[in-house]
Amino acid sequence: MHHPIHATIAVVVAFLTPTLPKPASAQSFTLPEIGMEKDGACQQIAVRERNGKAMVPLGCVSSKGWVLTPDTFRSSGIGTLDTTFQSTINPNAVQISPGMGVAYCPGLACIPGITDQNQRASVVISGKSQLDGEAEEQLLALSMTTKTGRLTDWKPRTPYEAGTNVYNKDGDNVFRVASKCISGPTMPVLPDQNNPKGAVVTNGSCQLKWINRGAIAAKLTAYFENEVEPGAGNAWTQANNFIMRPGAPTNFNINTEMDFSNLSGADCPLGHYCTALRLGMGGPNKATQALDITTDNTERFKTIWGIRLNGLNLASDALIGLDSSTKYGILSNLIGLANPTFSEAMIGDASVSSKTTLQATGSRTQSVIDTQGVTIAPQGGSPTAVVMAAGQQVCFAGFNVCWRYDTTAKRMKLRWNGQDVASIDSGGNARFLGAVTGNTTP
């Protein structure tokens, strides 16, 4: 009698056994011992491990297919090129072949019908949505819970519990406390900062074992790295292509969303990195820019806003904080790469409750506003550097001394400590509250 379980095992064995080259005469092989669970919703298939003799599960088989369950899966070397979907745009498939061994065809960068000339990758996950509005579908989901690796800043004469990871910012070093202790008056110092592995430092009553650099203590959901070497062409570390085809809805379309929620119970202080998006520039040589937002410069405007900072309670101190040393804090149209114009203003402010639009503090070597280098089209016969509405004042010493145009009297008036002391009309007629003295030092 042909038992169905035996038949299933035979099929699995045939599937698992790769096509091997003819063995050398000195080689010998033993058929593996394979077993299947007696019961369960998805019965495990296992192979006996050679040394420990334990049955190692490979996965289970059910009516829905084969479910892999090993603790570790490894595929290495240079895989054979898989060209199954090299001309099919985004098929429903998961393909793995190390060494860029999968030829695939993404929607934005593919030449349909051309073989062996499209994209190559080691892992390709592609597919089309299957459900309607009853569930969110994600082509790739990475979900991580971080529970370990907390660092405590080193402080002088501070008690620490055994197992505490003490962080010394000077040198970016993390030490682990051997037993309950009190730190010393000065920071722990490594015998050799360039070779810290295995070092144990005495600090107060603490024995601190060096663990690693502080930057390595982080836990990341995803990590991307691309090392560009001589001979390389164009290179990206990550490219997100979002395509809205003709007829696509324009209700909610986001290329990349980053949500950052602080539910810790404490506000993040300045100097710490509670940051939704951080661009860290490094190396001894200069890059072109840290952030580049550009277009193809054809047809028409591509967005309503180039950058939008939105929300009444988005930031408490400043929407844009500039803390650096450069020629300009904000540079407009001086790079020489194009000839753009702002049809209304370079900076526009339509707020209704701000105290001021421009506030300058600190020290300057020349002026707060310098218009000497600007060419202004004449308005009313001459160029105008500053335009103000009638009734608005130009004041000095706080608001003690102010000039303004009075539309009722049709006169320019000088107000001193809240009282008009001088005025002049369009005919050049001047009035003064006090005496006019000539031929004296002003």
Side-chain angles (χ1 to χ4, degrees):
M1 180 177 178
H2 190 68
H3 199 281
I5 293 181
H6 295 165
T8 302
I9 293 176
V11 171
V12 172
V13 170
F15 180 79
L16 291 176
T17 303
T19 301
L20 298 174
K22 185 176 181 180
S25 58
Q27 291 179 318
S28 61
F29 296 88
T30 302
L31 290 176
E33 183 179 346
I34 298 176
M36 176 178 282
E37 274 187 325
K38 295 181 179 180
D39 52 21
C42 190
Q43 293 174 295
Q44 288 279 351
I45 298 175
V47 176
R48 189 173 300 281
E49 191 262 329
R50 180 170 55 186
N51 296 324
K53 305 302 182 182
M55 296 298 290
V56 180
L58 299 177
C60 64
V61 177
S62 70
S63 60
K64 294 184 178 180
W66 186 21
V67 180
L68 291 171
T69 57
D71 294 334
T72 302
F73 175 80
R74 180 182 295 112
S75 179
S76 59
I78 304 298
T80 303
L81 181 63
D82 184 348
T83 60
T84 305
F85 299 112
Q86 65 180 352
S87 296
T88 304
I89 297 178
N90 295 339
N92 291 319
V94 176
Q95 298 168 270
I96 300 176
S97 184
M100 310 300 176
V102 179
Y104 77 105
C105 189
L108 191 64
C110 182
I111 309 175
I114 301 296
T115 60
D116 298 332
Q117 295 182 22
N118 290 314
Q119 310 291 334
R120 300 288 178 84
S122 293
V123 179
V124 173
I125 305 175
S126 66
K128 300 175 176 63
S129 64
Q130 305 296 319
L131 304 177
D132 200 352
E134 60 265 31
E136 180 175 296
E137 294 181 87
Q138 302 166 350
L139 186 61
L140 175 64
L142 302 176
S143 181
M144 177 177 175
T145 300
T146 301
K147 301 175 64 176
T148 58
R150 182 162 186 167
L151 305 184
T152 301
D153 289 343
W154 179 91
K155 294 181 181 179
R157 301 181 178 87
T158 301
Y160 292 107
E161 297 293 330
T164 301
N165 294 326
V166 177
Y167 178 51
N168 183 3
K169 294 181 180 179
D170 185 12
D172 191 36
N173 291 305
V174 179
F175 301 90
R176 183 160 297 152
V177 177
S179 59
K180 188 174 182 179
C181 63
I182 298 177
S183 62
T186 59
M187 287 185 177
V189 178
L190 286 168
D192 186 352
Q193 174 70 12
N194 296 321
N195 185 24
K197 187 175 181 179
V200 177
V201 178
T202 299
N203 183 255
S205 63
C206 298
Q207 294 295 309
L208 304 177
K209 180 181 179 181
W210 185 87
I211 300 300
N212 214 323
R213 303 298 186 194
I216 305 299
K219 315 300 180 186
L220 286 74
T221 302
Y223 178 77
F224 301 91
E225 180 176 290
N226 184 0
E227 296 188 19
V228 181
E229 297 185 352
N234 297 334
W236 287 266
T237 297
Q238 180 177 335
N240 298 334
N241 295 324
F242 190 95
I243 313 165
M244 295 179 64
R245 297 297 185 190
T250 57
N251 50 354
F252 187 83
N253 297 280
I254 306 273
N255 187 301
T256 303
E257 178 177 343
M258 298 181 182
D259 296 323
F260 190 109
S261 299
N262 184 1
L263 307 177
S264 66
D267 292 340
C268 295
L270 281 173
H272 288 235
Y273 293 113
C274 294
T275 307
L277 175 62
R278 181 174 184 262
L279 304 177
M281 307 302 295
N285 302 113
K286 187 187 297 183
T288 307
Q289 57 261 326
L291 176 64
D292 183 17
I293 302 176
T294 186
T295 73
D296 53 16
N297 294 319
T298 58
E299 299 172 2
R300 60 197 300 266
F301 289 109
K302 299 301 182 291
T303 62
I304 298 175
W305 298 285
I307 296 177
R308 185 187 186 198
L309 302 175
N310 182 40
L312 295 178
N313 297 315
L314 176 59
S316 60
D317 287 5
L319 282 177
I320 299 176
L322 305 177
D323 295 292
S324 187
S325 56
T326 59
K327 293 181 180 179
Y328 299 93
I330 297 177
L331 178 65
S332 172
N333 297 342
L334 293 179
I335 302 176
L337 300 180
N339 187 28
T341 59
F342 302 107
S343 59
E344 292 293 331
M346 187 267 178
I347 297 177
D349 181 14
S351 59
V352 296
S353 60
S354 298
K355 185 177 180 180
T356 60
T357 293
L358 174 62
Q359 182 184 84
T361 59
S363 61
R364 307 289 184 273
T365 59
Q366 177 176 298
S367 64
V368 173
I369 298 175
D370 182 358
T371 65
Q372 295 179 89
V374 66
T375 300
I376 304 173
Q379 301 290 329
S382 62
T384 304
V386 179
V387 179
M388 302 180 63
Q392 294 178 348
Q393 303 180 138
V394 177
C395 296
F396 304 87
F399 295 94
N400 293 335
V401 184
C402 302
W403 277 103
R404 80 184 192 283
Y405 178 69
D406 188 330
T407 55
T408 302
K410 300 187 182 306
R411 304 179 72 85
M412 281 293 297
K413 291 187 175 182
L414 173 62
R415 178 176 291 249
W416 201 294
N417 291 329
Q419 183 180 20
D420 291 337
V421 297
S423 67
I424 185 171
D425 63 17
S426 60
N429 301 305
R431 297 180 183 180
F432 300 92
L433 183 65
V436 177
T437 303
N439 299 323
T440 61
T441 302

